[in-house]
Amino acid sequence: MEPENIEEQVIQKYQEDEKVMIHLFIQWCLNHDLNPTELYARAYPDQGKNFSLQQAIQDHENEEPMEITHETMMDILQLFENFELAFVLSEEIQRLKKPRT
């Protein structure tokens, strides 16, 4: 196999996995009545609109809901070294765990 072909395959696989991460993030947010766009903007205030996230939100409307634990979501974000978003989610998880008065 040519080195360029291997590199292209690695990049393509990473991009596919990243799409899965985005869809899981969206589902986790929806499961907890949170807005994924707002959380993403808190994590990356200088980045502007994320078109991959917006497209995934539109695509997500046709997907079956699934339960995603807090721990799983945090593990996924850390696996992709998405530490800023993981930090924002950890704040939300703490807020969600507090009893409502």
Side-chain angles (χ1 to χ4, degrees):
M1 206 177 267
E2 298 289 323
E4 301 89 30
N5 194 11
I6 293 171
E7 186 175 318
E8 288 174 14
Q9 287 179 348
V10 169
I11 291 169
Q12 182 180 2
K13 177 68 173 142
Y14 182 85
Q15 290 171 338
E16 290 169 4
D17 290 347
E18 188 175 44
K19 286 181 182 180
V20 171
M21 178 205 53
I22 292 170
H23 282 277
L24 292 172
F25 166 67
I26 292 166
Q27 184 62 57
W28 183 87
C29 289
L30 296 176
N31 289 349
H32 299 287
D33 296 322
L34 298 169
N35 183 320
T37 304
E38 289 176 11
L39 290 184
Y40 191 87
R42 277 179 39 202
Y44 302 102
D46 298 329
Q47 192 175 76
K49 201 171 206 175
N50 181 305
F51 295 106
S52 296
L53 178 63
Q54 297 306 314
Q55 183 63 49
I57 289 170
Q58 290 176 1
D59 294 345
H60 193 77
E61 294 173 2
N62 300 324
E63 292 183 17
E64 290 291 320
M66 67 168 57
E67 187 61 34
I68 303 163
T69 67
H70 299 322
E71 293 79 16
T72 299
M73 193 67 245
M74 293 298 291
D75 288 346
I76 292 167
L77 291 175
Q78 291 174 4
L79 178 68
F80 279 88
E81 298 181 0
N82 201 331
F83 301 121
E84 292 85 353
L85 191 55
F87 180 77
V88 170
L89 260 62
S90 69
E91 292 177 331
E92 288 300 317
I93 290 168
Q94 292 306 312
R95 189 184 62 75
L96 290 167
K97 288 182 177 180
K98 287 184 181 178
R100 298 181 190 236
T101 56

